[in-house]
Amino acid sequence: MTAQDTAALRTELAVLHQILVEGGLVVWTAGNVSARVSGDTFLIKPSGVPYADLTPDAMVLCDLEGKPVGEQSLKPSSDVFTHAYVYRHRADVGGVVHTHSTYATAWAARDEPIPCVLTAMADEFGGEIPVGPFALIGGDDIGRGIVETLDGHRSPAVLMRNHGVFTIGADARAAVKAAVMCEDVARTVHLSRQLGDPLPMDAGDIDRLYDRYQNVYGQRG
């Protein structure tokens, strides 16, 4: 990636963090977005910096062990080792997002996956949104839980028990989209349960909806 490409990625990350704010997915300084720069480096939000102060230059370049590369004035997010673990073990991932969005995190607090009872869930997640194990912040245990839980799942989102939401994508924008969609369906399914038991969807219908959305929907080619 050229210096110009890296600069553009820094700018995009600053914009994507504001999307989390505008969508009500984060508060204060919680949450973060990262983006793979190359095979062995990624950019991530700095630790404890308010979203209003997140400029492109504030993003911290790290290696895949979670260590800052070169001389930098800011230290990376406390979730840096989680992001690094995901990038090390998932070569297909180009972006990672973490939020404590209200409804999705409420499901995580209950250790309960969000069942696939909406066409929008089938489209984006290809099934339920699973729950990963509890792990403390500061090492790569959360990252390990993310990778192991999503193994064999089509979902780009995982609810880490008693913690919050992590999403992955081919790039940072895709991961942000998954985080936005995760909170949207978490809210809708919660509301539907206040009215009664949501109706399950046929597995074949879920497969067909997922295939259509992933391979046909939108402008292609």
Side-chain angles (χ1 to χ4, degrees), residues 1 31 41 51 56 61 80 88 101 103 131 134 150 156 162 173-174:
M1 182 175 285
T41 58
Y51 281 87
L61 184 67
V80 65
R88 287 201 308 273
S101 60
Y103 283 87
V131 180
F134 174 77
L150 291 182
N162 300 112
R173 182 169 292 275

Side-chain angles (χ1 to χ4, degrees), residues 41 48 77 85 87 90 94 102 128 132 139 143 149-150 161 174 179 188 200 203 210:
T41 58
S77 164
Y85 187 94
Y87 288 125
R90 288 286 301 264
T102 304
E128 71 174 20
T149 302
L150 291 182
R161 182 166 66 86
T188 302
Y210 182 77

Side-chain angles (χ1 to χ4, degrees), residues 5-77:
D5 291 336
T6 302
L9 189 57
R10 286 178 173 276
T11 299
E12 182 180 36
L13 274 180
V15 171
L16 291 174
H17 279 94
Q18 297 311 313
I19 290 175
L20 296 185
V21 174
E22 292 164 5
L25 274 63
V26 294
V27 296
W28 202 238
T29 62
N32 39 71
V33 184
S34 71
R36 191 190 293 269
V37 176
S38 63
D40 57 3
T41 58
F42 65 97
L43 288 164
I44 191 168
K45 173 182 175 287
S47 177
V49 175
Y51 281 87
D53 297 334
L54 287 181
T55 63
D57 289 340
M59 304 304 162
V60 184
L61 184 67
C62 298
D63 64 22
L64 294 194
E65 297 298 326
K67 298 176 182 177
V69 176
E71 294 294 326
Q72 300 188 68
S73 59
L74 298 173
K75 66 179 183 179
S77 164

Side-chain angles (χ1 to χ4, degrees), residues 114-129 154-155 199-215:
I114 304 173
C116 186
V117 294
L118 302 167
T119 59
M121 286 194 69
D123 289 345
E124 179 72 19
F125 303 99
E128 71 174 20
I129 299 175
R154 293 186 292 203
S155 174
L199 298 177
M201 293 179 65
D202 179 79
D205 289 337
I206 293 173
D207 289 343
R208 284 185 284 273
L209 287 162
Y210 182 77
D211 179 69
R212 179 202 66 88
Y213 188 75
Q214 299 296 324
N215 300 309

